[in-house]
Amino acid sequence: PGAEGLEAFERKVLETFTTADGRITAFPVQEKKFLVLLRHVLKAFDRGVRYPEKRVNQILKQYNDDTARLRRALVEHQYMAREGGGGKYWRIDS
């Protein structure tokens, strides 16, 4: 599908799994849909900023109470990186 098809798909996923204010109401089983939600959440993080884990959790809490799941998924899917020990997180943009 072209860019329009992808945008329509992403819009539909966001309509299905988020509230009007952007909160995630449920996590889709299908990974392709879950990634749409991760990219949605990622927009809350600025490029070039290192966030302490506590701040990451505060930001993620605005989207869903399962902050650990979101945080882990952002790192696993390489949208964010994590520094060991100090627990700093930052966006990875390819």
Side-chain angles (χ1 to χ4, degrees):
E4 307 84 37
L6 186 62
E7 286 175 26
F9 171 75
E10 293 201 355
R11 254 195 322 275
K12 180 89 176 109
V13 170
L14 291 173
E15 285 170 11
T16 304
F17 293 99
T18 65
T19 60
D21 64 354
R23 275 190 66 80
I24 297 168
T25 55
F27 291 108
V29 174
Q30 199 178 358
E31 185 178 46
K32 185 176 165 184
K33 293 178 181 176
F34 184 60
L35 294 178
V36 171
L37 294 181
L38 289 182
R39 287 191 297 272
H40 167 66
V41 167
L42 186 65
K43 292 174 188 164
F45 295 93
D46 295 319
R47 289 176 176 86
V49 177
R50 288 182 176 251
Y51 295 90
E53 187 169 307
K54 185 176 180 181
R55 180 67 186 129
V56 171
N57 288 338
Q58 288 171 339
I59 292 168
L60 294 178
K61 191 107 171 129
Q62 297 168 28
Y63 292 93
N64 189 274
D65 290 338
D66 194 347
T67 57
R69 180 176 186 175
L70 287 171
R71 199 178 60 244
R72 270 195 312 272
L74 285 166
V75 172
E76 282 171 14
H77 292 285
Q78 300 184 335
Y79 289 114
M80 294 187 83
R82 178 175 188 262
E83 184 178 77
K88 297 271 194 241
Y89 291 79
W90 63 94
R91 274 183 75 151
I92 300 173
D93 289 282
S94 49

